[in-house]
Amino acid sequence: MRHLGILATLAAAAAAAAARALLPEDLAGLHRLAAPVPSPNARIAAFTASQFSVAAGTSTSTLYISHLDSPTLPPMAIGTNVGSDPFWVSDSVLAVLCPRAGTTQICAADLSVAHNASRAAAPPTIVFEQVTHLVHGVSSARVHTGTSRIAFTSTVPLAPRPKSGSSGVVYDSLFVRHWDTYIDPNTRSHLFVADLIVDPVTHKVRLGANITDLFAETPDLETPIPPFGSSSDYSFSPDGNLIVFASRVPQRSAAWSTNTDIYIVRTDGSLPPVPISASNLGYDTLPVFSPDGASIAWLQMQTPQYEADINKIAVFSLETKKTRIVAKKWDRSPESLAFLTNTVLVATAQDRGRHKIFTIDVETGTVEPRTSHASFSGIVPVPGLHALIGLVSSQTAPGRIVGVDAASWAVVDLVDLNAPLIKDIELPQPEVNTPKARDFWFKGAKGDKVHGWLLKPPGFVKNGTYPLAFLIHGGPEGAWNDDWSTRWNPQVFAAQGFVVATINFHGSTGFGGAFTRAIRKHWGGAPYLDLVKGLRYVLKNNKQIDSRRIAGLGASYGGYMINWLNGHSRDFACLVNHDGIFDTVSMYYSTEELWFQENEFGGTPFDRKARVLYDKWSPSKYLHRWETPTLVIHGEKDYRVPLSEGLSTFTALQRRGVPSRLLYFPDENHWVLKPANSLMWHATIFDWIHKYTSKEYAETRVPVHVDSPVAEDVEADLAAETQQAADVYAEAQSGGEPALTVQQDAFQYDLSKWM
């Protein structure tokens, strides 16, 4: 036995020695799984997984089936690049959205032969045959298998475009563009219903002759809700005679209103859609019927213009025509919703750094967390079983498909395509703060407890010294969670030899509504204090970090905060700003979803009261202090934080003589999504932060004073500085000095307190 113990120790040591760090090429080459879709008879589930080949420089999407009735069997590949968004037509016939002649159509195939063959022999070739031939294609679809009715969405022209040969487009209202696409003002996405006819012998599928536009009498309705809507925005009733759907309320103020409503419509189109949530002026989304068809539930944000409001659960009775809010006091915001039984809902929601599964009793409002670790997504009930299927990931494991027993809440792995790809890679666990946690808490702004994560690099030794990568999340109402990211992944930064710290500052989600709302009208206040205090907490409790070698990195609001830090802190050796805001006013007039800034700053920039806040929290007001080397990254198709914000940041840095670099992607939006571009993104960032956190560069810097006091009242401090600037400016004017020079001097009166 003693010899066996020695052998086990040696084997473990050899495995540790063989492990290597995670490279960006590894991250890009992992399978990216879409949520699984179980068949009506619960025997199989279909899902797609895309994978990038670094060698070939191309991506492949593979359609798989997983055997729910034989979970030990490996998943079977049905075909590559056949389509996306699979949905079941029957127990054995699967449909996908497939590319055909420059449009997206519906294609279908019978999988029964493949399912049976997989148990003994190689699967036969499966051919997906085209079902629809629509001029404008199909954007989403779902089937009611009991009646063989299909609901799908397609673009409808409301007016013919003039045949003048001109490329000009006339707009009379916003949106002009949304997320990464220019809007055609003369089209809408309508919901259609038709019969699907399945040949009983060949199982070939064709579309019935009658196709009904359910929005024919209300042409300005639109589903799915752009820009991220899907077939989750509509659902059949159990008998297939009704559809409930979400649509943005048709109005001229669409660009500065979050108002979406839930509607009911008959599938025969005999009556126009009827709204059932018109009294709510915020978001209404993700409607679902109860199994008995007596109720409809959906998620509801009750504050107009507030896209990060807590999602409440609304339940509508088709008998009484009344709506009530379930679990009113639950201080978490569900992100998905489904009926597990007629009286129990299942949802996923962020909670203290995790995406957990919860159940909600519709009658009592009792909420029960059913998971405690990692992050779950795409969770749906399995038909006929008291079970769920979906995806789970963590900071140390990419997404995999799991089944969840809805009685014991045991989680069972079903498909893990990435396990072989990461088996030789060392993925450090987030720092352990207590025996039951993998994260840390500290006293932040307002005396509140603030959450963070700490990740140490592979091969970390206690007597070593390390640089720090300080990552700042976007949103701003977002969070660093225990999940796997293909873009801002702390593991890939740790693999570069950095200790990685992330802070869930005031404004982050998953810590209660009040904590999230605290950022409104205080963009550079409490969140900034949390970051400064969190940084000092990390440095004070991790002596291995060289405080002269800190890189600050952030995207979106995180990019805004990078610009803000450049004007208010000297803690950082270098900065990386991805798609960040330069000027809050210019951002307002060039972005698309105006409700966001109007809510965050209390109105429009032409409202005098709100303008004070726009100016107070604009990084551009402090660019005369910018001196930290900064890498700026921006995408041409980013219409959320437009390219002009990145160009303005780079221009200001260059004009001030600050070491700076611009990485520009002509084909990316607010996110870098193309794998080859992701590799360049990582390479450029790593080159930048390694240069300015090198030991040689550190010799030119002074350590951060971790015990130095942090100004608690940032707003009062800024007000005092502004007043002093005004006083000096007035004095200078009376003496005839140039206003610009004196104003700059005034704002530089006490940089020491930001050191």
Side-chain angles (χ1 to χ4, degrees):
M1 294 297 291
R2 179 174 178 271
H3 294 296
L4 289 176
I6 292 173
L7 289 173
T9 302
L10 291 174
R20 61 180 180 81
L22 179 73
L23 299 175
E25 289 78 6
D26 298 317
L27 188 65
L30 293 174
H31 295 277
R32 303 185 184 188
L33 279 68
V37 184
S39 62
N41 62 6
R43 292 184 63 198
I44 52 180
F47 66 95
T48 58
S50 63
Q51 186 179 31
F52 177 72
S53 168
V54 176
T58 57
S59 293
T60 300
S61 175
T62 303
L63 176 65
Y64 291 90
I65 59 171
S66 175
H67 314 282
L68 301 183
D69 55 356
S70 302
T72 57
L73 288 175
M76 184 177 66
I78 297 300
T80 57
N81 299 326
V82 297
S84 63
D85 302 278
F87 58 96
W88 293 95
V89 175
S90 67
D91 288 336
S92 63
V93 177
L94 183 71
V96 296
L97 300 185
C98 55
R100 291 291 187 274
T103 64
T104 299
Q105 302 290 342
I106 296 172
C107 297
D110 178 22
L111 302 189
S112 58
V113 177
H115 181 243
N116 295 329
S118 68
R119 300 167 186 274
T125 301
I126 302 296
V127 177
F128 280 80
E129 298 186 357
Q130 189 169 343
V131 176
T132 60
H133 299 80
L134 302 176
V135 173
H136 298 285
V138 175
S139 59
S140 69
R142 61 169 56 215
V143 168
H144 184 270
T145 55
T147 59
S148 294
R149 288 185 181 131
I150 185 170
F152 63 88
T153 54
S154 181
T155 299
V156 173
L158 301 185
R161 292 198 62 179
K163 297 180 180 180
S164 63
S166 169
S167 62
V169 181
V170 176
Y171 294 88
D172 292 315
S173 62
L174 299 173
F175 296 98
V176 171
R177 55 188 188 178
H178 204 178
W179 186 245
D180 60 3
T181 304
Y182 274 82
I183 303 301
D184 185 339
N186 296 311
T187 64
R188 297 291 185 273
S189 175
H190 281 197
L191 182 62
F192 295 83
V193 168
D195 290 330
L196 281 181
I197 301 169
V198 182
D199 188 287
V201 178
T202 65
H203 292 171
K204 292 183 181 296
V205 181
R206 62 184 176 87
L207 203 63
N210 296 321
I211 301 175
T212 302
D213 181 353
L214 299 182
F215 296 176
E217 295 185 41
T218 52
D220 282 327
L221 291 180
E222 189 167 29
T223 199
I225 299 171
F228 302 120
S230 68
S231 59
S232 297
D233 282 344
Y234 55 93
S235 181
F236 278 103
S237 62
D239 62 8
N241 293 326
L242 297 174
I243 287 181
V244 60
F245 67 90
S247 170
R248 189 174 301 285
V249 175
Q251 54 188 344
R252 189 176 182 82
S253 60
W256 56 93
S257 169
T258 56
N259 193 10
T260 61
D261 275 349
I262 304 299
Y263 296 78
I264 299 178
V265 64
R266 293 183 181 276
T267 53
D268 61 6
S270 59
L271 293 172
V274 176
I276 60 174
S277 67
S279 61
N280 183 54
L281 300 182
Y283 271 125
D284 292 291
T285 56
L286 305 184
V288 289
F289 276 94
S290 60
D292 61 6
S295 302
I296 299 171
W298 66 87
L299 300 180
Q300 182 177 96
M301 292 186 181
Q302 298 176 338
T303 307
Q305 291 194 308
Y306 188 23
E307 66 178 26
D309 197 10
I310 290 283
N311 265 322
K312 297 296 184 182
I313 299 173
V315 176
F316 175 82
S317 168
L318 274 79
E319 180 182 0
T320 67
K321 305 297 187 289
K322 292 183 178 180
T323 303
R324 60 190 178 91
I325 301 299
V326 175
K328 289 182 180 180
K329 296 183 179 179
W330 188 28
D331 201 21
R332 293 296 182 265
S333 187
E335 301 163 335
S336 66
L337 196 65
F339 275 96
L340 190 58
T341 68
N342 287 323
T343 59
V344 176
L345 288 159
V346 63
T348 54
Q350 293 183 63
D351 183 37
R352 297 162 67 90
R354 285 91 177 161
H355 290 263
K356 299 178 182 178
I357 298 176
F358 293 84
T359 54
I360 304 96
D361 189 301
V362 175
E363 296 178 348
T364 66
T366 301
V367 179
E368 295 284 352
R370 298 302 184 178
T371 59
S372 60
H373 68 284
S375 289
F376 292 81
S377 62
I379 297 294
V380 295
V382 179
L385 300 178
H386 199 55
L388 308 168
I389 190 172
L391 299 171
V392 67
S393 73
S394 69
Q395 291 189 30
T396 57
R400 63 188 187 278
I401 296 175
V402 294
V404 182
D405 186 322
S408 66
W409 296 101
V411 178
V412 179
D413 286 350
L414 297 177
V415 178
D416 191 352
L417 297 179
N418 287 311
L421 303 180
I422 63 171
K423 64 182 178 62
D424 296 326
I425 296 175
E426 182 181 353
L427 297 173
Q429 292 283 339
E431 179 68 0
V432 176
N433 191 46
T434 72
K436 294 184 179 179
R438 297 186 301 164
D439 36 14
F440 65 87
W441 297 81
F442 63 94
K443 187 177 179 180
K446 306 180 181 182
D448 293 340
K449 276 185 157 185
V450 176
H451 174 261
W453 297 94
L454 190 72
L455 193 65
K456 293 179 179 177
F460 177 86
V461 292
K462 290 185 177 180
N463 60 351
T465 58
Y466 299 89
L468 175 69
F470 194 70
L471 309 185
I472 305 171
H473 72 67
E477 292 90 351
W480 294 105
N481 292 300
D482 187 15
D483 56 16
W484 187 266
S485 173
T486 58
R487 293 180 290 119
W488 287 87
N489 191 315
Q491 287 283 359
V492 80
F493 287 90
Q496 293 291 311
F498 288 81
V499 175
V500 183
T502 57
I503 305 296
N504 283 322
F505 48 78
H506 279 82
S508 299
T509 47
F511 301 90
F515 191 86
T516 302
R517 287 190 298 273
I519 196 172
R520 296 172 67 193
K521 303 183 182 180
H522 301 282
W523 269 35
Y528 165 79
L529 287 175
D530 290 338
L531 292 167
V532 172
K533 289 187 172 190
L535 176 60
R536 279 156 173 71
Y537 175 90
V538 168
L539 295 176
K540 195 170 184 177
N541 289 277
N542 297 273
K543 303 299 183 184
Q544 300 89 352
I545 298 173
D546 185 344
S547 66
R548 301 170 302 167
R549 301 166 63 197
I550 304 173
L553 309 93
S556 194
Y557 172 82
Y560 158 92
M561 183 52 70
I562 289 299
N563 282 347
W564 185 261
L565 287 167
N566 210 348
H568 294 84
S569 174
R570 296 294 173 258
D571 289 348
F572 298 90
C574 65
L575 299 169
V576 177
N577 170 353
H578 177 116
D579 290 357
I581 297 172
F582 170 77
D583 183 271
T584 52
V585 174
S586 65
M587 161 73 176
Y588 176 86
Y589 290 113
S590 56
T591 190
E592 11 83 283
E593 293 182 349
L594 301 182
W595 65 72
F596 171 71
Q597 280 190 274
E598 291 185 20
N599 176 77
E600 295 293 324
F601 295 103
T604 65
F606 48 85
D607 175 85
R608 291 184 179 181
K609 198 171 182 180
R611 181 58 180 255
V612 173
L613 293 178
Y614 278 87
D615 289 340
K616 175 187 282 188
W617 302 125
S618 181
S620 64
K621 302 300 180 184
Y622 304 93
L623 64 88
H624 53 276
R625 295 175 174 172
W626 291 9
E627 58 183 54
T628 304
T630 303
L631 169 65
V632 181
I633 305 172
H634 226 102
E636 176 72 42
K637 294 184 177 181
D638 185 356
Y639 304 149
R640 181 60 44 86
V641 180
L643 176 63
S644 55
E645 296 298 300
L647 293 177
S648 296
T649 299
F650 185 60
T651 298
L653 290 162
Q654 289 278 303
R655 188 62 184 86
R656 281 189 49 75
V658 178
S660 48
R661 179 175 292 169
L662 173 67
L663 173 58
Y664 163 71
F665 289 106
D667 54 351
E668 296 286 6
N669 56 32
H670 199 52
W671 303 326
V672 175
L673 299 177
K674 294 178 172 60
N677 287 345
S678 176
L679 292 177
M680 184 177 185
W681 182 88
H682 281 95
T684 306
I685 289 176
F686 292 156
D687 177 67
W688 187 260
I689 64 178
H690 278 306
K691 175 180 179 179
Y692 287 102
T693 61
S694 66
K695 292 180 180 179
E696 294 74 21
Y697 189 78
E699 296 298 324
T700 67
R701 292 180 46 77
V702 297
V704 175
H705 300 294
V706 296
D707 293 318
S708 60
V710 178
E712 292 292 332
D713 194 343
V714 175
E715 296 185 44
D717 189 61
L718 292 174
E721 179 174 352
T722 302
Q723 184 58 52
Q724 181 166 346
D727 293 342
V728 175
Y729 178 78
E731 182 179 348
Q733 286 291 84
S734 65
E737 296 183 38
L740 179 61
T741 302
V742 175
Q743 189 178 29
Q744 286 181 334
D745 290 342
F747 274 109
Q748 294 173 355
Y749 79 99
D750 190 10
L751 283 179
S752 63
K753 65 184 169 186
W754 303 109
M755 301 294 284

